Amino acid sequence: MTEIQHIKIGEDRFRISEDEVARRELKVTKVDEGVIQVQEEVHGIVALVGATSSVNIKKEELKELIKIVKEEFGWNDIC
């Protein structure tokens, strides 16, 4: 069985109160030959879970995502 590889493409911290800082990580995982999963993890704040979810991607993170899917996952038709 192939080991699933999570690759971090972004990370930052932001202040949410005087004494609390949240940490955010953005990761990409190859799920199948034609499927990737982008995960955003935010630690340090209480969040409500709803029926939808979204991932915030910065311009540099998107560039890194494209680079990884080409180099690590072999998707040569991404432009």
Side-chain angles (χ1 to χ4, degrees):
M1 184 172 196
T2 307
E3 181 180 335
I4 296 176
Q5 181 181 15
H6 305 282
I7 301 171
K8 186 168 29 172
I9 59 174
E11 177 179 37
D12 55 354
R13 295 174 184 272
F14 51 94
R15 183 169 302 284
I16 57 175
S17 70
E18 283 220 14
D19 53 350
E20 189 172 8
V21 175
R23 180 174 51 88
R24 173 188 166 272
E25 287 184 359
L26 192 63
K27 298 176 184 176
V28 63
T29 304
K30 184 177 181 180
V31 176
D32 194 34
E33 269 317 301
V35 180
I36 62 170
Q37 179 184 74
V38 178
Q39 253 178 6
E40 182 181 47
E41 295 179 9
V42 179
H43 304 276
I45 59 175
V46 177
L48 297 175
V49 177
T52 63
S53 83
S54 63
V55 174
N56 299 311
I57 299 178
K58 296 176 183 178
K59 186 182 347 181
E60 290 304 315
E61 293 169 341
L62 180 58
K63 288 179 184 178
E64 186 66 17
L65 175 62
I66 292 168
K67 177 182 166 191
I68 287 169
V69 297
K70 283 182 173 181
E71 295 175 4
E72 299 288 332
F73 302 159
W75 290 12
N76 296 319
D77 57 348
I78 301 294
C79 57

